[in-house]
Amino acid sequence: MVRVAVTDLEYRKAETLFVRAADEGCDCVRAPAEEGALAEAIRVGKMRHAIIGVERYHGPLYQALSAGGIIARFGVGHDGVDKAQATARGLLCTNTPGALDDSVAEHTINLLFAAARHTVAQAARLRAGDWAPQMGSELKGKTLAVIGCGAIGRRVGQMAARGLGMKVAGCEVADLDVERLCAECGFASVVRDFGEAVDGADFVSLHIPSLPQTRHFLNGERLRRLPARCWVVNTARGAVVDEAALYDALAGGRLAGAALDVFEQEPYEPAAPGKDLRALANVIMTPHISSSTREACDRMASRALRNILLAEAGKHADMDLLNPEVLAKLGQQS
């Protein structure tokens, strides 16, 4: 039986699957997410692998696991995992690509609807006893700029174009089969230039990874290129948005609104004094729930466990391995 530490929130999201994993030889143990406590639990419990959430891990976790162990990200984004440090320690890092695509895409569309129909504000007013219907807008015929045409961005574009009749413009710096993307997902165009993609947009939805080069991608300069009627939607990573610059654009009336599920600091904290996004009426905020559906969580748990079982079987080529360079190091150690 292989012992696996599973951080508390992730364990609760898919508890049934983690309990059943014993049938496949994995004893999944609930563990704290805080790095020091997690590392101690791994050492005391003699655990070989760890399944973790979005928290950032800087040191003790990598020291607690032995070479050949796995740091399995319960999700897709892996900016909280230090791949270089893991590789130096001989640890394999994995994630769960594809497991949450539909869930995140659906929440993105949910935020588009909430923005267009003022759903959050209207519900709050009615709950407070104020019957004050507010005029909304249809999404059909509106222009959506999808920034980042990976799996989730493509799914959002497909839902918006095929399901809602929106005009979808894509922005992607990687080489793609544009003709195929437009044919399969309904994109009207796919370009490399951000300014060209957002020209005339009613909504801009971010779907780019959090990397050093994408930190504050949506900064003051790019915000100034958005039409004043535009809403920004972010279900990607909080770090890709300069939240202080976003606050200034929203508070100054240079942008219609923002619908945000992810933040640079989670739980949310204002990026700068006096710039609390929660104080703005034209901001919709949800607490990083885009991937939190029963279906997506079950898929993420299954995929994380599958990676662990593949590693135990030595089938590294079939894993969702984020640091394949570690295999050479493990080969030198064996």
Side-chain angles (χ1 to χ4, degrees):
M1 188 73 75
V2 179
R3 304 205 81 202
V4 181
V6 184
T7 49
D8 183 68
L9 178 60
E10 287 60 47
Y11 189 96
R12 287 187 280 115
K13 285 182 175 181
E15 184 168 0
T16 299
L17 268 73
F18 286 128
V19 171
R20 289 178 181 169
D23 297 336
E24 299 183 64
C26 288
D27 178 18
C28 295
V29 180
R30 186 183 304 195
E34 191 278 321
E35 188 170 14
L38 174 59
E40 180 65 14
I42 288 170
R43 283 191 291 266
V44 171
K46 295 181 172 57
M47 300 183 208
R48 181 164 170 76
H49 310 294
I51 296 176
I52 62 170
V54 300
E55 291 79 9
R56 292 184 176 274
Y57 293 97
H58 303 285
L61 172 61
Y62 309 92
Q63 301 300 316
L65 292 168
S66 58
I70 291 182
I71 298 176
R73 173 72 175 89
F74 186 91
V76 176
H78 47 86
D79 45 305
V81 180
D82 187 333
K83 272 76 68 181
Q85 189 172 174
T87 298
R89 289 282 301 167
L91 303 174
L92 297 91
C93 302
T94 65
N95 66 345
T96 62
L100 48 70
D101 294 357
D102 283 340
S103 181
V104 175
E106 286 184 7
H107 188 54
T108 303
I109 299 297
N110 178 43
L111 291 175
L112 292 180
F113 276 118
R117 294 300 181 95
H118 313 291
T119 307
V120 175
Q122 290 283 276
R125 290 189 191 115
L126 184 58
R127 188 178 293 275
D130 183 11
W131 186 274
Q134 184 177 359
M135 189 76 71
S137 300
E138 292 182 352
L139 291 177
K140 183 178 180 180
K142 300 300 187 297
T143 298
L144 169 66
V146 173
I147 312 302
C149 298
I152 296 174
R154 291 196 299 271
R155 190 74 179 101
V156 168
Q158 185 180 50
M159 290 179 177
R162 302 292 195 213
L164 300 174
M166 300 183 76
K167 179 183 176 182
V168 179
C171 181
E172 177 57 66
V173 296
D175 290 330
L176 294 175
D177 185 338
V178 173
E179 185 175 340
R180 180 178 178 182
L181 178 61
C182 292
E184 292 184 354
C185 299
F187 282 65
S189 63
V190 180
V191 298
R192 290 177 177 270
D193 182 69
F194 175 84
E196 184 180 352
V198 303
D199 184 31
D202 298 288
F203 301 91
V204 170
S205 187
L206 301 174
H207 300 283
I208 56 178
S210 178
L211 303 168
Q213 58 268 36
T214 62
R215 184 174 185 272
H216 290 182
F217 171 87
L218 191 62
N219 54 18
E221 179 184 353
R222 288 194 174 97
L223 284 165
R224 284 189 288 273
R225 305 192 73 171
L226 304 183
R229 68 173 184 273
C230 188
W231 275 75
V232 168
V233 180
N234 188 14
T235 55
R237 277 289 184 268
V240 305
V241 174
D242 182 340
E243 291 175 0
L246 177 62
Y247 179 95
D248 290 341
L250 292 164
R254 301 193 305 275
L255 197 63
L260 312 170
D261 183 57
V262 288
F263 307 92
E264 194 152 16
Q265 293 293 326
E266 295 184 357
Y268 173 75
E269 294 180 10
K275 297 188 178 182
D276 191 335
L277 290 166
R278 294 169 297 191
L280 300 177
N282 55 345
V283 175
I284 298 168
M285 302 168 73
T286 56
H288 203 148
I289 60 170
S290 60
S291 63
S292 291
T293 60
R294 287 185 292 274
E295 296 83 358
C297 288
D298 282 352
R299 289 192 295 267
M300 287 186 282
S302 295
R303 193 71 170 259
L305 290 166
R306 176 180 179 272
N307 282 318
I308 288 172
L309 292 171
L310 286 170
E312 288 290 323
K315 298 180 179 180
H316 300 116
D318 297 326
M319 295 171 61
D320 302 303
L321 197 56
L322 298 170
N323 59 335
E325 62 275 13
V326 75
L327 298 178
K329 182 176 181 64
L330 292 173
Q332 293 170 3
Q333 292 177 343
S334 61

